[in-house]
Amino acid sequence: MANFSRHDVRRGLSGLRWPLALTRAGMFAENLWQATWPLVTVVLAILAVLMLGLQDSVAVEVVWGGAVVGAVAVLAALIYAFGRFRLPTRTAALVRLDETLPGRPIQALMDTQAIGDQDAASTAVWRAHQARMAERAATAQAVPADLRIARRDPYALRYVAALLFGVALIFGSIWRVGSVSTMTPGAGGGLASGPVWEGWAESPRYTGRPTIYLNDIPAGTLDVPAGSLITLRLYGEVGALTVAETVSGRAGEVPPASASEQDFTVVQSGEIAINGPGGRTWSVSVLPDKAPNVAILDAPEASALGEMTLPYEASDDYGVEAGEARISLDLGAVDRRHGLAIEPEDRPELTVLLPMPITGDRTDFEENLIEDFSEHPWANLPVSMVLNVLDAAEQQGESAPRTMVLPGRRFFDPVAAAVIEQRRDLLWSRENATRVAQILRAVAHRPDDVFRKDVDRLRLSRTITRMETLASYGLTDEHQEDLAQDLWDLALSLEEGDLADALERLRRAKERLDQAMRDGASPAEIAELMRELRRATEDYMQQLSRQAQQENQNGEQPPQSGDRQNQMQMTQDDLQRMMDRIQELMEQGRMAEAEQALQELQEMLENMRVTQGEGQGNQSAGEQAMEGLSETLREQQGLSDQAFRDLQEQFNPNAQAGENQGNEGRNGGQGQGNQHSQGGEGQGEEGDGQEGGEGGEQADGRGQGDGSLADRQQALRDELRRQQGNLPGAGTPEGDAARDALDRAGRAMDGAEEALRQEDFAEAIDNQSQAMEALREGMRALGEAMQQEAQNGQQGQGMSDSDRRAEAQDPLGREPGSNGSVGTEEGLLQGEDVYRRARDLLDEIRRRSGDGARPDVELDYLKRLLDRF
């Protein structure tokens, strides 16, 4: 340290060369940015405006004004830049670098000893101090530039200009900056060398047609839709170009022909002319926008509960936007008697929106208007309906008025029908209130002969009293609606109310069906009432079955032979066939025969005794159902196998033909013993369903060997529907689960039938697989229901039937066959999709056939398997 000399000082400062140079460069950039940021901001803003072409969208005076403002801003920014910018000196850079070091070592190295330079000790101390400062200076790093100018630009104008310039780079064009040159004095000399006008024809958006750039359209014919917007821009000396047009039909105050900006809408055919150097003329032909069309396709259909379905079609050249149906009362066609004799109250038209396609093309479509007008005062009265549609141009189209009876729910219970009729009269006019109350009192004069439940009688009595009280003071709209709602609820209770007694419910269902046949009900209403009759019959049968079980448990003896001669004995299958026959007669329009058969059915039901298992050995109802479902499952498996073979033949007919020939050669004369493998073409149960003079047709779906696969699938579905009506275990969780599973199986069979009719064998096989899986689930649930029933009814009485069947199964869980033979292997497939297993096996065969390390004999065998399947 004592030997540190001035030479060492200079050498220490020379080591700061690069940090000092970089610090000085940063100071230069800092001074330059702080001086020129206003200039950069102004230049970016001006370029953004020009690149976006805003100068082409405003008057030339505005452009000139903006140019002056921009020039002044640029000049001011330049003056500010020259006034603020200073080149950084080396000394300033050393000072900034020294400020970042502790103790200011650079300054210490540059200083000289002021006093004591003759004293050796003082000089040694000074040199030691400089040596330490030199070490510190050697650690100096370049000082980065401070480019922050937020204090100088508090409104962030530089960021605004940068954002505008970024938008211009994306949506603008650098070439549009040159359009300013055409606005300078003397630039008109360029008129002969290029276009001095621009034009666009913009079609209405709903047409979907693109905008036309008129500069690219030669003179001649121009076809545009009505409502197109024509935009013209004239550049250059005012008056050099003028516009003449006869397409807008404008009158009154219009802009001058020489205006630099002109916009007008095409409403008629005519001519557009740009007169002057480089001008052009077009003969405009308007493409008409046709009004939409709408029409009612067919008469409305009503469901059993009164919901209306009205098919209609609508079309428009560019698409229909919306529509509505307007319904008005056809007073001239109303039978003006009884409560309808007086003038009706004024009611507005009934208006409902027409459903429109959510997706797809609306230029031409068909839809269904689905509404329920059952509670409206005009329900089941003559009305006139008009459909109205609207397009995007707000043009309307109407259908021809269609007179019809407004569909609504019909009531077949006599008391409910009377209540609904009086409700209609009350809504027709509130002046009918007194008359309606009197008629309802007459209806309820002998309540024991009319009402099945006291609560309905009390509700009607309360409604009558309230109606009479309100009528004496004058009914308001609110009171009228409340009374009408009470009468509607009462009619529904009378029509659909639940009855505790199954026989009474059966009689009631029969009466409603009789009334419906006399009133000429629609097929949908007949089908709904027939379903109600089937449900009531099933409940009645279950009640008889429970009664018989109770008699057996109480030790009562069955009727003797003399008594049995006076009782009807029939199976549930017989009942189902009779009801099927009644429904068939009604569908054929033979109402008299259907009514007679219905009467006979009721008499038999009231006097019969159900025989569960008569002619079926000692089997119970559950065992019969289980046996029938097993047979249905086997037949479904056969149909599925046949569909699979047809699918193979569809894609590889030659292989299937060869396979058939090989099978014939191997089977020889055994073909007659395999009817059951041909899609369930069993012998059936001949003679088990022949009715009177209508016989010959089997009641079950078996024995339908002839015909297409779809017909046989339909027959199997009908058989399953019949079996569902005879299914025991109603009301128990297991029985309900079995019924749900069979419902799924039925829906899958319906899908398979439809796919077979369309020859979509792959889809049919999938649906058949689902049907078989659902059948297996139903059989398992039915077995659990039977087991539960046996446990509840045979506790302490030894082994139940299900236990005996479980013991009779072999170790693989298979049921024993007839005559002691081994049964089927259905139990091995429970709960598993056989076709999925087949696909897995086929994939495994392909994988093994691709393994070249396997023996040739095995590969040949695998190849033959692939060729076959």
Side-chain angles (χ1 to χ4, degrees), residues 740-774:
D740 293 340
L742 295 184
D743 287 339
R744 294 197 304 272
R747 291 192 295 269
M749 287 182 179
D750 291 335
E753 177 194 346
E754 182 178 356
L756 287 172
R757 295 195 185 281
Q758 298 175 0
E759 295 187 357
D760 188 355
F761 295 111
E763 180 68 20
I765 290 173
D766 290 340
N767 285 315
Q768 290 170 338
S769 176
Q770 297 174 12
M772 288 187 289
E773 180 63 25

Side-chain angles (χ1 to χ4, degrees), residues 20 30 103 296 301 310 358 361 462 479 548 583 598 634 657 722 747-748 777-778 809 843:
L20 182 63
E30 179 181 326
I296 299 176
E301 296 181 357
L310 180 72
I358 300 177
D361 189 11
R462 175 182 173 276
H479 295 152
Q583 186 169 1
L598 188 61
R634 283 193 293 270
R722 184 192 65 81
R747 291 192 295 269
E777 293 182 8
Q809 292 176 349
D843 293 339

Side-chain angles (χ1 to χ4, degrees), residues 310-322:
L310 180 72
Y312 76 93
E313 64 176 358
S315 61
D316 184 68
D317 45 3
Y318 294 114
V320 178
E321 290 292 317

Side-chain angles (χ1 to χ4, degrees), residues 681-742:
E681 299 176 25
Q683 295 297 328
E685 298 175 3
E686 297 180 3
D688 183 25
Q690 311 235 346
E691 297 184 32
E694 304 295 333
E697 295 182 3
Q698 294 179 350
D700 57 15
R702 306 185 184 102
Q704 303 289 337
D706 297 332
S708 65
L709 280 178
D711 294 336
R712 287 149 60 189
Q713 183 68 68
Q714 181 183 4
L716 193 60
R717 174 69 178 97
D718 295 340
E719 169 64 12
L720 179 63
R721 186 180 292 110
R722 184 192 65 81
Q723 292 171 349
Q724 287 178 268
N726 301 334
L727 205 64
T732 64
E734 295 82 1
D736 294 341
R739 284 169 169 78
D740 293 340
L742 295 184

Side-chain angles (χ1 to χ4, degrees), residues 69-92:
V69 173
V72 172
V74 170
L75 181 60
L78 285 173
I79 295 174
Y80 178 84
F82 282 112
R84 295 285 301 179
F85 180 72
R86 297 289 185 275
L87 284 174
T89 62
R90 184 176 183 275
T91 302

